[in-house]
Amino acid sequence: MERITIRFKVNGEDAIVAVAPHWNLLRVLREELELTGAKEGCGAGECGACTVLVNGRAVNACLYPAVEADGAEVTTVEGLAGPGGELHPIQRAFVEKGAVQCGFCTPGMVLSAKALLDRVPLPSEEEIRTALAGNLCRCTGYAQIIEAVQAAAEELSR
Ligand code: FES
Ligand code: FES
């Protein structure tokens, strides 16, 4: 099958991948680049488990055509930790507030939260709920997730 070569940055590193026209970004990240933090839940844009950042914007990688990532800057959850492996403040807040249970939704939640906090450093609860509306969690009941984002916002704004 015909392949198209795309060049983009993933977590600050150059990536060059020959993709089939119908591949989505999630497949490229997980299967070609072995970045398995983004999860495939529904595969249909409903659950947010596959959320990554493309040029700073949270997208559903399961619906995002891989060819459209050409030239983009992509961030996955693997790119959030510091150089020594220390957790990003949003990740740490999720752990400290008990916002992680099975963890399947967590990479997507964390990246949706990051996209929000990069844009709105101290969001209201309503803004947090709106930003995370596309990320489903079957475990936590959301209260701890909201608290975690609020705690991270306060820490990052200090
Ligand atoms: S796997 Fe992409 S939105 Fe569910
Ligand atoms: S922690 Fe299990 S789906 Fe959210």
Side-chain angles (χ1 to χ4, degrees), residues 30-31 52 62 91 97-98 141 147:
R30 289 183 58 86
E31 296 181 27
V52 299
C62 72
Q91 294 174 302
K97 294 292 180 185
E147 279 176 28

Side-chain angles (χ1 to χ4, degrees), residues 99-106 136-140:
V100 181
Q101 287 187 27
C102 80
F104 193 81
C105 70
T106 308
L136 304 184
C137 176
R138 64 188 172 184
C139 306
T140 65

Side-chain angles (χ1 to χ4, degrees), residues 83-144:
E86 64 274 17
L87 294 181
H88 184 279
I90 299 173
Q91 294 174 302
R92 201 167 56 244
F94 268 64
V95 173
E96 288 171 358
K97 294 292 180 185
V100 181
Q101 287 187 27
C102 80
F104 193 81
C105 70
T106 308
M109 287 283 185
V110 165
L111 287 167
S112 288
K114 183 170 192 315
L116 171 66
L117 298 186
D118 286 347
R119 197 166 41 83
V120 185
L122 281 172
S124 65
E125 180 177 336
E126 195 56 38
E127 286 172 313
I128 296 171
R129 288 187 181 277
T130 300
L132 299 185
N135 294 83
L136 304 184
C137 176
R138 64 188 172 184
C139 306
T140 65
Y142 300 100
Q144 297 97 319

